[in-house]
Amino acid sequence: MKSNIAIIGSGISSLAASCYLAQAGYCVTIYEKNSSIGGRARQLTKEGFTFDIGPTWYWMPDVFERFFSDFGKSPSDYYTLDKLNPAYSVYFGKNDFISIENSLDKIAATFEKEEPGTSKKLKKFIKKAQSNYDIAIKDLVYNPGVSPLELITPATITRLNLFFKTIKRDIRQEFKNKRLAKILEFPVLFLGAKPSETPSFYSFMNYADFGLGTFHPQKGMYQVILALERLAKSLGVKIETNSDVEEIIVDAGTVKGLKINGKAQGSNIVVSGADYHHTETLLKQSYRQYSENYWRKKTFAPSALLFYVGFDKKLKHVNHHTLFFDVDFDTHAKAIYDHPKWPDAPLFYASFPSITDSYAAPEGKEAGIFLIPIAPGLTDSDELRATYFNKVLDRFERLTDQKVKEHILFKESFCVTDFIKDYNSYKGNAYGLANTLTQTAFLRPKLKSKKVKNLFFTGQLTVPGPGVPPALISGKLVADLVKKHNRLES
């Protein structure tokens, strides 16, 4: 008889893990503390507007295809994808922006127009990035981070130097135009670290950007969550919301179940997709693998100040995804990683899904999401949120040459205290542990507890790292470990 498995949290990695484990015949129940599923990928609806609270970028469609194909399905069985054109735009000044279109040839032409001679360099750079992508996404990231030998393959042996050089160095050597360099450095920000701290091998993110493109699921990213829910339930997974896990019950070093809303619930195996640090606080001190000092020394990806805004008119001079790089990135990065503080002049990102998707806003209106990356652990207050909302909107109006403040119907915000309250997020981080050299693969927190038998972890603080596609992969990796562990035990 297969074991009962309890999964903490209903984010993407938890939902993915539940599907694989249920497919293998386990009795799986997900316990979610909030009233709705999805973790950081939840949805906000208000006055006819719909916002994705967390992830808004759909990259690496092949990872989604690979996941659903494991169950004889396809993403198209659940939602419809639109390839965005332009994928996004990047503002550098007033009415001064570069748009990234939906094919490498078009992007190369844009680079050539910006600086003659760069189109050939770009295609050469992306060809190398594609080679890294083929190695990383089709092979390396599907390893469980158990041993450094996972990184040693015939393909990686010839690329070991790419783990010791940085993306920023590679890009700045080839592309002297600072605007183009900033665009090429942008994709690795999804990995949570500065380009100057990110290994060259991660250039595969540039292929994900320029080679594969940017997509949007009709009705929003939450459709991915609903797809995972449908698949999980079809496989027999039970999902319990409003179920706050207060303790992981351990006896003689072995998991026995969970304490949920004050009541004990027995389980043979526990998989936590909740914040890794928080999960270990649900254990007695002697059963924790990582000390508070361990977590303090780690390089975390940023937190974020987010605004969800309903406008009473359509906006001009913006695209579905729009980046604002009109201020110095290095100065903002220092305020995140080196000397944590609220940035004086932050870069920011804005998403207007209603440009692409009528589902996001009532006719003639616009849904806007504004995101400012900030250091985790900062003081968060209503006054600071108001100050930064005005800073962002003032710049937005000037750069896009339009008045929008008087057209705001409402705004909601989400920041450090919300990440802590809703997700038990360590220091209110938004994206997990950064993928720096010393926090890659086997150097990340482990999927399997070293101190508690039958306790496993998944999600952005473990392997392979932050992002939606890695979350899907993390769910598969932990499910494979559980199955392997049970085979050895039986």
Side-chain angles (χ1 to χ4, degrees):
M1 183 176 178
K2 293 288 187 178
S3 301
N4 290 316
I5 298 180
I7 298 181
I8 306 173
S10 66
I12 289 170
S13 58
S14 291
L15 289 166
S18 78
C19 292
Y20 284 110
L21 291 169
Q23 183 188 49
Y26 294 94
C27 298
V28 183
T29 304
I30 293 173
Y31 296 99
E32 167 58 52
K33 72 183 283 286
N34 294 309
S35 59
S36 61
I37 67 166
R40 284 168 168 79
R42 292 182 301 157
Q43 196 174 62
L44 168 68
T45 57
K46 183 170 181 176
E47 297 180 19
F49 291 80
T50 300
F51 304 90
D52 287 311
I53 290 178
T56 55
W57 294 76
Y58 193 106
W59 273 10
M60 304 183 187
D62 52 317
V63 174
F64 295 84
E65 291 281 355
R66 180 168 174 174
F67 170 81
F68 284 107
S69 70
D70 285 342
F71 304 92
K73 299 288 186 180
S74 167
S76 61
D77 292 325
Y78 300 97
Y79 52 85
T80 300
L81 283 178
D82 294 320
K83 190 172 186 181
L84 299 182
N85 189 35
Y88 56 91
S89 292
V90 185
Y91 267 89
F92 296 99
K94 183 176 181 179
N95 294 324
D96 178 14
F97 61 88
I98 293 175
S99 290
I100 301 302
E101 295 186 79
N102 64 347
S103 75
L104 181 57
D105 285 340
K106 293 177 184 176
I107 298 166
T110 297
F111 270 51
E112 188 70 21
K113 183 178 179 182
E114 178 72 17
E115 183 180 346
T118 55
S119 60
K120 290 183 178 179
K121 289 182 179 180
L122 177 66
K123 289 188 175 182
K124 183 178 179 182
F125 180 79
I126 297 300
K127 186 176 181 179
K128 290 181 181 178
Q130 180 178 1
S131 179
N132 289 341
Y133 188 93
D134 289 341
I135 295 167
I137 303 303
K138 295 178 181 178
D139 185 12
L140 289 187
V141 295
Y142 285 90
N143 286 312
V146 173
S147 165
L149 296 178
E150 293 171 0
L151 297 178
I152 308 301
T153 70
T156 59
I157 283 289
T158 59
R159 289 174 166 81
L160 286 179
N161 66 318
L162 297 182
F163 289 95
F164 299 97
K165 296 192 298 180
T166 70
I167 284 283
K168 183 167 185 174
R169 178 187 170 189
D170 289 352
I171 290 172
R172 299 284 170 154
Q173 280 183 339
E174 292 295 326
F175 299 89
K176 304 306 179 184
N177 183 296
K178 291 183 179 180
R179 290 150 61 100
L180 299 181
K182 284 182 179 180
I183 291 172
L184 285 168
E185 289 167 0
F186 153 67
V188 300
L189 299 181
F190 285 105
L191 302 172
K194 293 187 289 186
S196 59
E197 300 291 333
T198 302
S200 298
F201 185 71
Y202 286 104
S203 69
F204 65 73
M205 292 296 291
N206 292 104
Y207 176 69
D209 181 4
F210 287 2
L212 297 176
T214 302
F215 296 79
H216 172 75
Q218 289 180 13
K219 299 186 179 180
M221 287 291 288
Y222 197 64
Q223 296 305 304
V224 177
I225 296 298
L226 296 179
L228 292 172
E229 179 189 33
R230 279 179 57 195
L231 177 59
K233 287 184 173 179
S234 74
L235 294 165
V237 175
K238 297 178 182 177
I239 301 176
E240 304 285 346
T241 55
N242 298 306
S243 298
D244 190 12
V245 176
E246 300 159 343
E247 181 186 347
I248 298 173
I249 302 169
V250 180
D251 182 43
T254 301
V255 158
K256 295 300 180 182
L258 302 172
K259 183 180 177 182
I260 304 167
N261 296 339
K263 296 182 180 180
Q265 179 68 50
S267 181
N268 306 110
I269 296 170
V270 169
V271 176
S272 179
D275 179 273
Y276 204 123
H277 170 271
H278 168 73
T279 302
E280 290 222 308
T281 68
L282 302 177
L283 297 162
K284 291 180 180 178
Q285 190 79 42
S286 60
Y287 290 130
R288 299 175 190 175
Q289 304 170 93
Y290 304 107
S291 67
E292 289 298 318
N293 192 47
Y294 170 89
W295 294 110
R296 278 194 297 270
K297 289 182 177 179
K298 290 298 170 185
T299 301
F300 274 81
S303 184
L305 170 55
L306 290 132
F307 297 101
Y308 311 97
V309 187
F311 294 97
D312 68 5
K313 70 167 187 173
K314 302 298 289 183
L315 303 189
K316 300 181 295 183
H317 310 145
V318 289
N319 288 306
H320 186 123
H321 298 299
T322 309
L323 304 165
F324 294 85
F325 285 6
D326 57 303
V327 297
D328 183 58
F329 171 80
D330 290 335
T331 301
H332 187 173
K334 287 177 183 177
I336 296 174
Y337 297 101
D338 302 330
H339 306 288
K341 67 172 186 175
W342 281 91
D344 295 323
L347 286 79
F348 66 96
Y349 153 69
S351 174
F352 304 97
S354 45
I355 290 175
T356 301
D357 192 345
S358 61
Y359 184 82
E363 187 175 357
K365 299 178 182 179
E366 205 85 272
I369 302 169
F370 296 84
L371 183 153
I372 303 171
I374 59 172
L378 295 184
T379 300
D380 173 22
S381 68
D382 290 340
E383 292 76 19
L384 280 166
R385 295 187 192 199
T387 296
Y388 278 84
F389 183 71
N390 285 324
K391 279 190 176 188
V392 164
L393 264 290
D394 285 343
R395 288 217 339 255
F396 180 83
E397 288 188 329
R398 178 176 59 81
L399 294 168
T400 64
D401 197 21
Q402 63 186 315
K403 297 295 183 183
V404 299
K405 284 186 178 181
E406 58 264 37
H407 295 281
I408 293 173
L409 295 170
F410 64 85
K411 78 172 189 297
E412 300 284 344
S413 63
F414 201 94
C415 197
V416 172
T417 55
D418 301 298
F419 281 105
I420 295 171
K421 176 176 66 72
D422 287 2
Y423 312 129
N424 295 309
S425 171
Y426 181 72
K427 290 188 176 181
N429 80 82
Y431 306 108
L433 280 177
N435 264 333
T436 60
L437 176 60
T438 57
Q439 295 180 174
T440 291
F442 67 97
L443 297 172
R444 297 179 72 82
K446 302 303 182 186
L447 290 164
K448 183 176 180 289
S449 174
K450 296 175 288 186
K451 291 192 173 184
V452 180
K453 185 178 177 182
N454 294 339
L455 175 60
F456 299 83
F457 301 83
T458 188
Q460 61 184 8
L461 291 185
T462 183
V463 181
V468 176
L472 283 175
I473 295 168
S474 188
K476 175 178 172 58
L477 294 178
V478 76
D480 288 345
L481 270 188
V482 170
K483 291 183 284 186
K484 180 180 179 181
H485 173 75
N486 260 29
R487 284 196 300 269
L488 294 174
E489 290 293 311
S490 60

